[in-house]
Amino acid sequence: MNLVLLGPPGAGKGTQAKRLQDLRALVQLSTGDMLRAAVAAGTELGRQAGALMERGELVPDELVIGLIAERMDLNKGGKGFILDGFPRTIGQAEALDRLMDARGETVDRVIVIGVDDDALVARIAGRFTCAKCGEGYHDLFKRPKTAGVCDCCGSTQFARRPDDTEKVVRARLKAYHAQTEPLVGYYEGQGKVRAVDGMADIETVQKEIDQALDAA
Ligand code: AP5
């Protein structure tokens, strides 16, 4: 099964993708994570993407399509992908259709996670991750069981993203509404969209996604 998780910044795409990856043995492909890795490694791609990401703008289609094509090639013969943060423009969605076609596969489901803009700003401002294993946390909604210690790997080092300031989050939301939201209509036209209420707690959202995937 190939699955697209669509939703605004902070909707919970990454949180749910990690759970689905474990539960359904699918491979998570997050263009945001790939781009942040390129920035951290100081590659040419990272240099081009970094300035745009800091302003909350989208990276050009050809760069992210190339990244996704490369990762899909590295994962042949698996059970499928969870696309997290890709596609984000109609051009990217059309390119994804072509990539899937070439593999004899298709996008099976598009889960749209809906959350109010004001709730998103609060969510993102409270977000942090383990600097060692990348496990995600939140100041209010998902704290480590022992304060200051990662539940998964025991590390005491945590990090916050530079694009998680209120000003940049507002720019990311603007980009979402202008460039990514039209994808809902694109995939509705293909009969693939299932909407879930992303305002519910993390477990409830997970259950809703499970039901949406298991329903015909
Ligand atoms: P990217 O990394 O994809 O960021 P994003 O889409 O803005 O999404 P986030 O990662 O911020 O949020 P999320 O939906 O994954 O939420 P999360 O699960 O973390 O992209 C970053 C940048 O890279 C872009 O701005 C762009 O510049 C560039 N880029 C990336 N892909 C691109 C592409 N395809 N084309 C062009 N440019 C691209 O949850 C957020 C917080 O809320 C967490 O703390 C979590 O614990 C908490 N939480 C999650 N669910 C719930 C819940 N139900 N209730 C309460 N709290 C919750």
Side-chain angles (χ1 to χ4, degrees), residues 50-174:
L52 294 163
M53 293 168 80
E54 269 175 32
R55 294 200 298 268
E57 294 170 24
L58 295 188
V59 172
D61 282 357
E62 61 274 18
L63 297 182
V64 284
I65 291 166
L67 271 179
I68 283 286
E70 217 173 86
R71 290 302 172 92
M72 284 174 72
D73 269 354
L74 289 174
N75 286 285
K76 286 195 170 127
K79 286 193 167 176
F81 298 107
I82 306 160
L83 293 144
D84 159 13
F86 181 93
R88 254 176 156 98
T89 63
I90 296 287
Q92 291 179 24
E94 290 170 346
L96 178 60
D97 283 345
R98 288 193 294 274
L99 288 170
M100 287 288 175
D101 244 11
R103 296 167 64 93
E105 295 178 29
T106 185
V107 171
D108 298 291
R109 281 275 182 280
V110 177
I111 302 290
V112 179
I113 308 178
V115 181
D116 300 343
D117 281 8
D118 287 339
L120 293 171
V121 176
R123 270 194 199 179
I124 291 179
R127 171 170 64 180
F128 59 101
T129 52
C130 170
K132 193 172 166 206
C133 73
E135 180 66 9
Y137 295 98
H138 193 277
D139 290 329
L140 300 176
F141 311 122
K142 190 187 165 204
R143 285 186 285 230
K145 290 188 183 97
T146 307
V149 182
C150 176
D151 297 346
C152 294
C153 73
S155 168
T156 54
Q157 303 295 311
F158 295 90
R160 289 181 193 258
R161 275 169 45 176
D163 62 343
D164 277 354
T165 62
E166 178 165 352
K167 184 175 169 215
V168 180
V169 173
R170 299 248 176 236
R172 286 160 59 194
L173 277 169
K174 200 170 157 198

